[in-house]
Structures are given as C-alpha cells and as structure tokens.
Amino acid sequence: MTPAELAERLRLVVITDRELARPRRVEDVAAEAVLAGARAVQLRNKGDGARELLQVGRTLRALTSAAGALLFVNDRLDVALAIEADGVHLGPDDLPVGPARRVVPEGFLIGCSADEADVAAGLVRQGADYVGCGSVYATTTKADAGRVIGLEGLERVAREVRVPVVGIGGITPARAAEVALTGASGVAVVGAVMGAADVSEAVRTLLAPWR
Amino acid sequence: MTPAELAERLRLVVITDRELARPRRVEDVAAEAVLAGARAVQLRNKGDGARELLQVGRTLRALTSAAGALLFVNDRLDVALAIEADGVHLGPDDLPVGPARRVVPEGFLIGCSADEADVAAGLVRQGADYVGCGSVYATTTKADAGRVIGLEGLERVAREVRVPVVGIGGITPARAAEVALTGASGVAVVGAVMGAADVSEAVRTLLAPWR
C-alpha cells in the first residue's frame, strides 16, 4: 500500500472503547461506523486481556475485511498477528517500532504516536507507516494522552513527515473541518464515535471535510 | 528439543516479580538464580508495559543464553518474539495456544496453565509444550491463581499428559521434595526465589530433590 492509499484509508480511524460504547457492544458501534464510511478501526479495549481482545478482534476483522477497511490493534502486536489485522498502533509505552518491525510480515502496517516533528521524523526513519499526533485538543478519554499541541502542533508534524499523519485527542465532528486544514491525512477518535448517539451521522460529519 | 530435554530444563522455573525482588532488580536476582543452577526464567513483571518488558527481557535473554537456560515471557507473545525468547507462557486470560502457535517460528515453546487433567490434555493436543499446574498450595503471590489442587491434583495432571508438567503455587524450598514425588517435572516459583534472602541457597534447595 502506498502512503497515498494509506492516507485515504486513514481519513477516520475509529478507536474502540468498551466503556464509551455502553450499553452497545464495541463490535456493533464499529460495524455501524464502517457501514457509514469509516475505513479504519483500531481495537483498544483498555483492561482487556489478550483472550478477550482476540475474541472482539476476530469480529472486527470479519467486518472490516468485508468493507475493505483496515484493522489495527493498539499495543498488542501479538493479538494483531493472531487475528491477521492490517497493523498495530504503538504508543510510547509499547514496543518500539524497530523491534516490532523485525517480527511482522512484509506489508504489515505500524503506526506510532508522536507530538513533535523531530520525534515523528525519527519514528518514520525507524519504520513507522503512519503517525498518530496529539493531543490536538484537551481530552478526558485517555489519561495518558499527554500535552495539548493544538492545530499548530499537528500542522508542524504533518509538514515534516512524508507518511500519513492522523490528528488525535479531543476531536469532535464539529472540529473536523479545522483539523483537515492542517495538512493532516485524517483524524482518530474515541469518544466522537464510540460515545455518539448517532454513530452514522458522527462518521459522516467527521469524514465530510476530506470529501 | 525433546520433551525429556525440556523437562530437564524445567526442574525450576524462576518467575520474575518486581515487587518481591525489591530492593534488588529482577535481572540481578535472575542472574544469581541462573548462576546457582536454574535453567529456566519466566519474565512476568505485572503492570509493566511492553517497552519496559522489552528492556528487562533483553537483559534476561543475554544472561540466560550465556548460561544455556531457557527464557519464557508470560502472556506477551509479542515481547517474547521481539527478544527472541525461547517461549511464552499463556494463562487462561491470554492468547489460546492454537492462535499463538500459528504466529510463532518452528521450535518456539508454548506453555499453558491447567489445574485439571482433561484440560491439560486438551491444551497438549492443541500444541502446548509444557503445562504449568496449580495452585499446588495456597498462595498470596498471584491474586488470580485460582483454586488449590494439592499434591494429588498435580499428580493427576502429571500422570495424564506426555509433556513436562511443572507445579506452581505456594512452592517453597521446604516443600520441593514432596512436589518431586508427584511425578511433576519441576516447579515454578515466584516468591521462593524473587523474595529469597539467599537466592543461591533457595535455588539449590529447590533443585535438590531432582538431582
């Protein structure tokens, strides 16, 4: 997959969250999001063991494959390999990209987190296929989300690296348009889709600025 | 490695625990244990992220390789692959052995937990190379250790399966001799080595009944 093709799939990355999805199952919310046009899903059910992630991940694999959407797993590269996900997303406490790259098959996608341009560039040199960049806005979804870099911070990273850069952190449907102006390839959201009253509407609004 | 060769290495599996090792580092306790004759170490630092496990794991890999000892990683198959460990230990909340087997190289060892003979036999059919069986005694080390099966329970499992069976749960140097009489291949311990005032002495006493 070329960076341009990958960028096109990463317009919207729907990250799962069991708590925010309640009383719905994350699989059902993800299914609705994919039907509404999301072309990337990231499995990140905090606190779940590998066996539980495997079970949810297999359902997500089936529905993303059927829709031509990408599936990533947060942190757990082993679960990603076991369910034949398209890739893994690795944060600062997870495996570094280099050691991860050495144990995955050709073409397996690795995304990394960075909040600064030079860090992002370093991760790309080490083999990252895309960069998740934030927090763009203040957020309460992820306790370890780190500092707020704003639209300007996202723009700096997007300008620096040649792989797709996806904004993350506090992004809502109402904010999608201004995020799209930074040069980022797309947005990754947790609450904006998992917690949405109308999932399809949220997905369409988040995707609209890139259409 | 034949089951007999593996059994010989699994006489004593030293499981790491950051808290019990304090104020020493687990790497230092493990190094002393290996020097005293332990030929298997399992990395299980509860609460550590993959990056931290990788760092400790690389040190453990170097010292176990130098001593001809096996290195296993608990749960995190991805970390095990990244550090070129000899194998992984998978508990009931971790990846099942089948999916794990499909993503590992030839010869990679997979251990599984079982407290009943029929469960153990099933895991061996699915590809387990050894079985961790317990809790043999009541233990406070692991909150999720499950029920106490006693020496009789361990003996039933050891009789049932053709792969090495390692007793776990509450095993102390003083109890090693009676565990050896069950037909188990060895013992896995956390506190008995990680928390030992004299690590070398603990290792020698735990190994003595099999000598």
Side-chain angles (χ1 to χ4, degrees), chain A residues 23 50 54 76 94 97 127 148 152 160 163-164 186 189 205:
Chain A
L54 183 79
R76 296 291 310 228
D94 305 335
V97 55
V148 175
E152 303 72 25
E160 180 72 17
V163 304
V189 299
T205 309

Side-chain angles (χ1 to χ4, degrees), chain A residues 73 75-78 80-81 87-91 94-112 123 126-129, chain B residues 50-51 54 58 76-83:
Chain A
V73 177
D75 175 27
R76 296 291 310 228
L77 176 56
D78 44 5
L81 294 173
V88 69
H89 186 87
L90 300 172
D94 305 335
L95 285 177
V97 55
R101 180 61 74 196
R102 285 192 284 279
V103 299
V104 301
E106 181 79 21
F108 187 87
L109 298 167
I110 301 181
C112 293
L123 292 168
Q126 290 161 51
D129 293 300
Chain B
R51 191 160 305 201
L54 183 79
R58 282 173 166 162
R76 295 291 309 229
L77 176 57
D78 42 7
V79 174
L81 294 173
I83 64 174

Side-chain angles (χ1 to χ4, degrees), chain A residues 8 28 59 61 74 90 94 109 134 147 199:
Chain A
E8 205 267 321
D28 297 332
T59 304
R61 174 71 293 180
N74 184 64
L90 300 172
D94 305 335
L109 298 167
R147 67 192 184 92
V199 170

